[in-house]
Amino acid sequence: MSNASPVVELRDAVVMIGGFPLLSGVTLEMPPHSLTVVTGANGAGKTSLLRLLGGLVALTSGYGVVSGVDLKTGDLRDLRRRVGWLGHEGSFYDDLTAKENLTFAAKALERPVGEIPTVLERVGLAHRSSTPAKQLSAGQRRRLGLAWLLLRRPETWLLDEPYASLDDEGRTFFDQLIGDVVAGGAAVVVSAHDPLRSSSLTPRTLTLAGGLVVGDDA
Amino acid sequence: MIRIALLVAGKDLRIERRSRVLLWQVLPFGVTGLLLCGLALGPTHAGHSSAAPGLFYLVMLLVALLMINRSQVIEGSVGTKTSIATLGLDPAGVFLGKALALAVELWLTAVVLLAGSVLFLHTALSGTVSALPSVVVILGALAAAGTLYGALSGGGQGPATLLPMLSLPAFAPLLIAGERSFSAALDHGSIWRWWVISLVALVAYLALGILLYGVLEES
């Protein structure tokens, strides 16, 4: 953890969709170089919190700043460019190969496409670079998602249940990579049903219930 | 905006080439539709019927509805939508790119179906070729309007029946202009009046799409 100014700052953040409160008044801060695990039961608001931090849902009331962008008055498209999202659903164009998906993202963000082979190598997908995303296994798709984020180098990583359907090797790989990313200065927020089992990471764990933070081990 | 448009168009066309949905599903559907139109007219009437241009555009409309839906479904899954949203792409560029890719697919389909109309509906070859400039513009406008209405109807996540219901009133003037200009070309008349009207519609739909696509995506 660091004492630098927070990457995420929320005060009484409320998110309503269709009159239903997804978040009911969340207050928290996250510094850079930090790893936060958000746990809670289904419907507790984990994904909604991540989506709020990514500028993917609007802040209904309260105050929120992520990566210097005010969630109420700032340019949410600018914020989205600064965060990286890895969902538990498929996150790619199924008919494009792993390399083509990464090339699309790199060109969209004007990042060098020359980094793609290195990134694929790092996530262990170099041998699958020409495979369409729909032919990759769930674990390989998750690794491709990580490659997408490594290529983008976002300030804030939002990982929505990244451990789902991963084997032990995949979990270990994820833990190592998350550790490296946090050491590199990013703030990483992971949603998970249960606290992390890894002994190599020492995250702060937030527990959500009914759209509220009911536990914080910070 | 243009850079994003070309990137998105290239991506959509690459996906279409790889999936071969256009080649193996949409084109056979269109050709079969045209053949059935010829059979419905009957062998004695097909060559003399003034219905051929209208039937051509009717089949193109059905094909376009399939392709608009397909264009939106590509982006439709929640995960893909979210990942792409975090790229922060310029919505105007995305609209132009998707409309361009759809237009290219419609133009390719039209080449096949125009040949089909010569074969099955016995339209004159010279008149059919003369109609090409108006076909290009009409289908471009259809692609722009279709991309806009595709986003309006839920961007691949809404009910499949919503797109035709919402878009047909908007497509009707385009089909009328298309049918009139194709008929004029077959009768060796001037197609330019209808061509200009179609061009105005194309520019109007492009402007609307550039302005509104981002709002529709966000909603």
Side-chain angles (χ1 to χ4, degrees):
Chain A
M1 299 279 178
S2 146
N3 292 322
S5 59
V7 174
V8 171
E9 191 177 358
L10 298 180
R11 282 204 301 270
D12 299 321
V14 174
V15 172
M16 307 266 286
I17 301 283
F20 182 79
L22 302 179
L23 295 178
S24 310
V26 172
T27 298
L28 59 87
E29 285 187 4
M30 295 175 191
H33 292 280
S34 67
L35 170 61
T36 305
V37 177
V38 182
T39 65
N42 287 334
K46 303 187 296 292
T47 301
S48 299
L49 177 59
L50 263 62
R51 292 182 73 83
L52 175 67
L53 300 183
L56 296 162
V57 290
L59 179 65
T60 307
S61 69
Y63 171 80
V65 173
V66 179
S67 292
V69 178
D70 190 304
L71 294 177
K72 274 200 141 171
T73 59
D75 180 358
L76 292 184
R77 194 168 297 122
D78 179 40
L79 171 61
R80 290 172 196 164
R81 284 191 206 103
R82 299 182 191 202
V83 302
W85 173 276
L86 179 64
H88 53 83
E89 324 93 348
S91 300
F92 308 100
Y93 294 111
D94 278 348
D95 286 304
L96 295 186
T97 65
K99 188 178 176 185
E100 287 167 347
N101 268 295
L102 295 181
T103 303
F104 178 74
K107 286 185 174 174
L109 293 165
E110 297 184 83
R111 299 206 61 83
V113 292
E115 290 181 9
I116 291 172
T118 314
V119 164
L120 282 169
E121 184 76 43
R122 177 149 186 217
V123 300
L125 280 182
H127 65 297
R128 304 288 269 166
S129 66
S130 301
T131 304
K134 65 183 173 189
Q135 290 174 14
L136 297 175
S137 69
Q140 287 172 331
R141 287 173 71 88
R142 213 58 58 81
R143 284 172 186 253
L144 180 57
L146 281 178
W148 174 287
L149 297 185
L150 285 170
L151 191 68
R152 296 185 51 187
R153 293 187 204 148
E155 297 167 19
T156 308
W157 291 47
L158 304 172
L159 312 179
D160 190 15
E161 300 190 22
Y163 294 101
S165 69
L166 281 186
D167 57 17
D168 283 343
E169 186 197 339
R171 291 181 71 102
T172 305
F173 170 77
F174 249 73
D175 287 347
Q176 285 171 350
L177 198 133
I178 288 172
D180 291 347
V181 167
V182 172
V188 178
V189 187
V190 178
S191 82
H193 277 293
D194 307 303
L196 294 193
R197 287 181 295 178
S198 169
S199 57
S200 61
L201 298 173
T202 50
R204 168 191 183 188
T205 301
L206 293 174
T207 307
L208 291 188
L212 284 167
V213 177
V214 296
D216 185 350
D217 72 356
Chain B
M1 182 169 73
I2 298 300
R3 184 182 67 82
I4 294 297
L6 293 175
L7 185 65
V8 170
K11 178 261 298 173
D12 275 16
L13 290 172
R14 188 184 291 269
I15 288 173
E16 213 46 66
R17 194 186 68 187
R18 180 132 330 128
S19 68
R20 302 190 179 180
V21 169
L22 177 64
L23 187 64
W24 295 118
Q25 294 175 28
V26 178
L27 272 179
F29 169 78
V31 170
T32 307
L34 215 53
L35 178 63
L36 290 176
C37 287
L39 292 174
L41 287 172
T44 52
H45 291 97
H48 311 286
S49 174
S50 58
L55 291 174
F56 164 78
Y57 273 106
L58 189 62
V59 173
M60 276 307 305
L61 172 67
L62 296 175
V63 164
L65 286 172
L66 286 179
M67 287 161 68
I68 293 163
N69 195 48
R70 165 87 184 142
S71 167
Q72 296 297 327
V73 164
I74 288 173
E75 317 284 343
S77 84
V78 176
T80 306
K81 236 179 160 55
T82 307
S83 289
I84 301 307
T86 60
L87 292 178
L89 298 177
D90 175 11
V94 175
F95 165 75
L96 286 177
K98 295 200 79 65
L100 176 61
L102 186 57
V104 169
E105 291 160 20
L106 287 174
W107 290 332
L108 291 173
T109 307
V111 170
V112 175
L113 294 189
L114 282 172
S117 73
V118 173
L119 282 174
F120 305 136
L121 304 177
H122 307 295
T123 57
L125 182 60
S126 61
T128 304
V129 171
S130 301
L132 271 177
S134 69
V135 170
V136 167
V137 176
I138 291 282
L139 295 184
L142 200 62
T147 303
L148 191 59
Y149 277 87
L152 183 66
S153 64
Q157 291 179 311
T161 47
L162 195 56
L163 174 65
M165 199 177 76
L166 286 176
S167 59
L168 285 181
F171 292 166
L174 296 175
L175 295 187
I176 292 168
E179 190 275 335
R180 292 285 77 214
S181 59
F182 197 170
S183 293
L186 290 175
D187 295 338
H188 304 290
S190 171
I191 69 165
W192 298 112
R193 183 164 55 116
W194 294 106
W195 188 84
V196 170
I197 291 172
S198 313
L199 198 61
V200 170
L202 170 63
V203 172
Y205 276 120
L206 287 176
L208 273 175
I210 287 170
L211 286 173
L212 296 179
Y213 195 75
V215 179
L216 293 174
E217 270 194 330
E218 291 294 321
S219 64

